[in-house]
Amino acid sequence: MITLGIETSCDETSCAVLEGLHEIRSNVVFSSILKHKPFGGVVPEIASRYCLEQIEVVFRQAIKKAGVKISDLDLIAVTRGPGLIGSLLVGVAFAKALAYRLKIPVIGVNHLEAHLSANFIGRKEPEQYIGLLVSGGHTSLSHHKKGKMKMLGSTVDDAVGEAFDKVAKMMGLGFPGGPVIDRLAKQGNAGAFRFTRPKQDNRYDFSFSGIKTAVLHLIQQELKAKGYPVNRGLADNPVVFDSRFIADMCASFQRACVSWLIEKTSEAARQLKTYAVVVGGGVSANSELRANLNRAAVDRQWELFIPPLALTNDNAAMIARRGAELYRQGHRSKMTLSPDPNLEPG
Ligand code: KG4
Ligand code: ZN
């Protein structure tokens, strides 16, 4: 079975061709991220315009790279949500029109579930696992058993990727913040600043807004010490911070986030006696998170799944995989399929 995956939930426009459940024949990703950089975050209107402009080009490239004909497609899987409504509409409309033209089924996919499914391309899905989702818009822990998902906890405020992006912005490091913090943290001292671990009523919930505010206070102290006026606008001028301060802040912030994520995951694995851990989402590209999860997996004897780097960020191969899985389980979408910007997993 040949599945075309389509992903347009945010700033990426991606199409992929998946053969069966395991063979990626092509996975073309176009990102409009450079167009958003001057604004310090994704501008929805710009994102959707680029999706509209690029979707056909990306689709044709994916077909060509895969070495298939359009008429070879058996199924179309498309991101239904969550995401930006304008971008989602482009993918869903394109998918439905193509499915109608080719007389093949279309299936709407949850973007968050697809991030976890990316791990099962080329690897057998365990019967039972703990899912850790770490993306720009979501952070959650879930328990999966025989295809059924139970949400254990999620962030009560910012997502972890969002915290990386905001902290980077405060220090004038540009957007997106995750990759730059990851890089700079390697030169810093992770013990330079200590952050209080947030406490939640539900032990599996996360919170990242406290650490963001703590970083802001430390930045303001640093500005004061250097005789600069204390206001957020100054963060647009990284020249005022010395490189040691920035590297130490990146390392300390990253260490705290990574250790909280791993502690909660370990707690869930222990409590639920589930020793397969599946990680997904853009932040799973983080080198410290990957290294420490690998270490935890050895210590705690987990079977660990982290996607290869090419599948950590938003891409259509994961959408195709999730769609193909759902199709095999008997799911189909109707031609009335519509995007849902607030779609929840499960
Ligand atoms: O999953 P994703 O591509 O998009 C959403 O569905 O949200 O995740 C994007 C997020 C951004 O917040 C970005 O800063 C973060 O993933 N990210 C990273 C790294 N690479 C991307 N965060 C930490 N370390 C990285 N290396
Ligand atoms: Zn994503």
Side-chain angles (χ1 to χ4, degrees), residues 16 40 59 69 76 210 214 216 231 242 314 324:
F59 163 66
K69 296 193 292 298
I76 301 179
L216 178 65
N231 66 29
D242 59 60
D314 292 350

Side-chain angles (χ1 to χ4, degrees), residues 41 49 92 105 181 190 198 248 258 289 317 325-326 345:
R49 277 170 192 248
V92 170
I181 290 184
D248 287 351
V258 165
L289 181 63
E325 270 167 39
L326 290 169

Side-chain angles (χ1 to χ4, degrees), residues 43-56:
V43 182
E45 178 64 19
I46 297 179
S48 58
R49 277 170 192 248
Y50 273 94
C51 288
L52 189 57
E53 211 173 282
Q54 294 298 322
I55 185 81
E56 191 170 346

Side-chain angles (χ1 to χ4, degrees), residues 7 9-12 82 111-112 115 133-138 159-165 175-183 254 280-289 309 312-315 318:
E7 153 64 28
S9 65
C10 191
D11 57 309
E12 274 88 11
H111 177 92
L112 305 175
H115 267 304
L133 184 79
V134 283
S135 80
H138 294 83
V160 61
E162 191 180 352
F164 269 81
D165 294 338
F175 173 81
V180 62
I181 290 184
D182 192 351
R183 183 166 48 79
Q254 179 173 284
V283 183
S284 67
N286 185 270
S287 57
E288 186 169 349
L289 181 63
L309 281 176
T312 54
N313 284 314
D314 292 350
N315 66 87
M318 68 182 195

Side-chain angles (χ1 to χ4, degrees), residues 234-261:
L234 256 189
D236 292 334
N237 182 3
V239 171
V240 301
F241 301 111
D242 59 60
S243 53
R244 168 81 8 230
F245 174 83
I246 290 188
D248 287 351
M249 184 60 79
C250 288
S252 306
F253 165 79
Q254 179 173 284
R255 175 66 49 85
C257 293
V258 165
S259 58
W260 298 341
L261 291 170

Side-chain angles (χ1 to χ4, degrees), residues 171-194:
M171 291 190 283
L173 300 177
F175 173 81
V180 62
I181 290 184
D182 192 351
R183 183 166 48 79
L184 294 172
K186 292 188 171 62
Q187 298 145 29
N189 168 14
F193 303 103
R194 300 233 171 257

Side-chain angles (χ1 to χ4, degrees), residues 28-343:
V28 178
V29 183
F30 166 85
S31 170
S32 59
I33 198 82
L34 291 175
K35 305 290 170 194
H36 306 277
K37 272 186 191 281
F39 304 97
V42 172
V43 182
E45 178 64 19
I46 297 179
S48 58
R49 277 170 192 248
Y50 273 94
C51 288
L52 189 57
E53 211 173 282
Q54 294 298 322
I55 185 81
E56 191 170 346
V57 181
V58 170
F59 163 66
R60 291 199 186 276
Q61 276 182 15
I63 292 291
K64 194 167 168 210
K65 275 199 175 168
V68 295
K69 296 193 292 298
I70 295 178
S71 56
D72 293 334
L73 299 176
D74 298 306
L75 172 70
I76 301 179
V78 61
T79 305
R80 211 190 130 211
L84 303 173
I85 184 66
S87 299
L88 289 168
L89 267 169
V90 172
V92 170
F94 190 87
K96 289 201 294 184
L98 193 61
Y100 182 75
R101 170 73 182 79
L102 298 174
K103 298 191 175 54
I104 58 173
V106 62
I107 191 152
V109 167
N110 184 310
H111 177 92
L112 305 175
E113 294 171 5
H115 267 304
L116 295 181
S117 286
N119 287 285
F120 309 136
I121 302 176
R123 216 172 150 189
K124 193 174 178 305
E125 176 173 353
E127 267 209 354
Q128 192 184 165
Y129 60 90
I130 300 293
L132 172 66
L133 184 79
V134 283
S135 80
H138 294 83
T139 306
S140 61
L141 264 179
S142 46
H143 182 238
H144 303 246
K145 196 171 180 179
K146 295 190 176 142
K148 293 240 177 318
M149 192 273 279
K150 184 172 174 262
M151 194 52 85
L152 299 173
S154 58
T155 181
V156 296
D157 40 55
D158 292 1
V160 61
E162 191 180 352
F164 269 81
D165 294 338
K166 288 180 177 168
V167 161
K169 193 173 176 186
M170 285 179 211
M171 291 190 283
L173 300 177
F175 173 81
V180 62
I181 290 184
D182 192 351
R183 183 166 48 79
L184 294 172
K186 292 188 171 62
Q187 298 145 29
N189 168 14
F193 303 103
R194 300 233 171 257
F195 298 105
T196 319
R197 179 177 282 94
K199 279 206 171 63
Q200 267 70 52
D201 292 341
N202 170 6
R203 70 171 96 158
Y204 300 128
D205 277 346
F206 298 93
S207 165
F208 292 98
S209 87
I211 189 167
K212 188 189 65 187
T213 311
V215 171
L216 178 65
H217 288 151
L218 290 163
I219 286 175
Q220 288 175 334
Q221 268 174 31
E222 177 75 2
L223 289 171
K224 229 185 208 165
K226 287 184 172 292
Y228 289 99
V230 175
N231 66 29
R232 275 165 187 262
L234 256 189
D236 292 334
N237 182 3
V239 171
V240 301
F241 301 111
D242 59 60
S243 53
R244 168 81 8 230
F245 174 83
I246 290 188
D248 287 351
M249 184 60 79
C250 288
S252 306
F253 165 79
Q254 179 173 284
R255 175 66 49 85
C257 293
V258 165
S259 58
W260 298 341
L261 291 170
I262 296 183
E263 276 166 25
K264 301 229 173 195
T265 308
S266 304
E267 174 72 0
R270 202 172 54 82
Q271 286 290 335
L272 294 153
K273 298 190 176 28
T274 302
Y275 301 105
V277 171
V278 178
V279 189
V283 183
S284 67
N286 185 270
S287 57
E288 186 169 349
L289 181 63
R290 293 174 83 89
N292 291 8
L293 276 168
N294 273 306
R295 219 165 290 139
V298 172
D299 291 350
R300 290 160 211 172
Q301 300 188 335
W302 296 340
E303 189 192 358
L304 179 66
F305 294 71
I306 315 185
L309 281 176
L311 297 182
T312 54
N313 284 314
D314 292 350
N315 66 87
M318 68 182 195
I319 304 299
R321 165 69 207 211
R322 182 66 185 144
E325 270 167 39
L326 290 169
Y327 183 79
R328 282 181 187 219
Q329 291 162 16
H331 295 272
R332 309 282 182 273
S333 294
K334 296 201 176 105
M335 270 299 167
T336 49
L337 173 70
S338 57
D340 180 351
N342 303 315
L343 189 65

